[in-house]
Amino acid sequence: MKKRWTASLFVVLLLGGLVTACFGQAPKSTADIAVVVNPDTPVTDMNLAEVRKVFLGERQYWSSKMPVILLVRAPIARERDVVLRKIYQMSESQFKQFWVAKIFRSEAVSAPKIVYSSDMTNQLLLAVPGSIGFMDAKTVAPGLKIVKIEGRSPGEAGYPLR
């Protein structure tokens, strides 16, 4: 019986370590959150309402041949908290319910693609035409296009995503 408890405790600690490794507790940044797109995406400046429309899946194409591919950070990321609050205006549970309902009503084929790090976001944004995501402005890879929001770039006074 004692061996069973020891083995169970080991499994719990191992899983906890894996979760921590996947969703690491990096120091919290206070940098602005940049909305970033693939360099071929035909957009450079959007207002907050347009960004919201894109992230809600209401705009599904940039042009007739380029679909919008949403990349959203996994839960626990500071960027996700900011975007849920400022763009989606939803809690985590409301966000999940929103996408389940949207898929159930056949208004979307799938929920946004989940990314687990800024590196992963950078790689996917560089590789996938039409992709849009968000990340700490300090971690945006060279070659990606940062979208101005309300005519302002991250770091400028009045930038809305912080």
Side-chain angles (χ1 to χ4, degrees), residues 30-35 44-46 86 137-138 146-162:
T30 57
D32 290 348
I33 305 303
V35 173
T44 56
D45 194 347
M46 303 171 80
K86 301 270 178 128
K138 293 179 179 176
I146 296 176
V147 178
K148 287 186 174 184
I149 308 295
E150 308 285 350
R152 295 181 174 96
S153 297
E156 292 183 359
Y159 185 76
L161 298 178
R162 38 179 69 122

Side-chain angles (χ1 to χ4, degrees), residues 85-103:
R85 188 170 21 93
K86 301 270 178 128
I87 295 175
Y88 282 101
Q89 300 170 357
M90 296 178 188
S91 67
E92 186 65 40
S93 64
Q94 290 171 324
F95 175 78
K96 290 175 183 172
Q97 290 171 357
F98 171 81
W99 281 103
V100 168
K102 198 163 180 78
I103 292 167

Side-chain angles (χ1 to χ4, degrees), residues 1-71:
M1 185 73 164
K2 189 173 181 178
K3 280 186 176 183
R4 186 178 267 168
W5 278 100
T6 304
S8 296
L9 180 61
F10 176 75
V11 169
V12 168
L13 291 174
L14 180 64
L15 290 175
L18 288 173
V19 169
T20 300
C22 291
F23 301 106
Q25 295 288 333
K28 294 281 184 180
S29 171
T30 57
D32 290 348
I33 305 303
V35 173
V36 187
V37 294
N38 175 277
D40 296 333
T41 303
V43 62
T44 56
D45 194 347
M46 303 171 80
N47 64 40
L48 208 50
E50 291 171 320
V51 173
R52 188 166 198 269
K53 192 173 183 177
V54 168
F55 277 99
L56 287 172
E58 294 173 6
R59 180 175 180 176
Q60 298 183 356
Y61 290 91
W62 296 114
S63 63
S64 62
K65 294 184 178 182
M66 184 177 285
V68 173
I69 309 295
L70 297 175
L71 305 176

Side-chain angles (χ1 to χ4, degrees), residues 131-147:
S131 58
I132 183 170
F134 51 86
M135 66 179 70
D136 186 318
K138 293 179 179 176
T139 63
V140 176
L144 290 174
K145 191 187 314 180
I146 296 176
V147 178

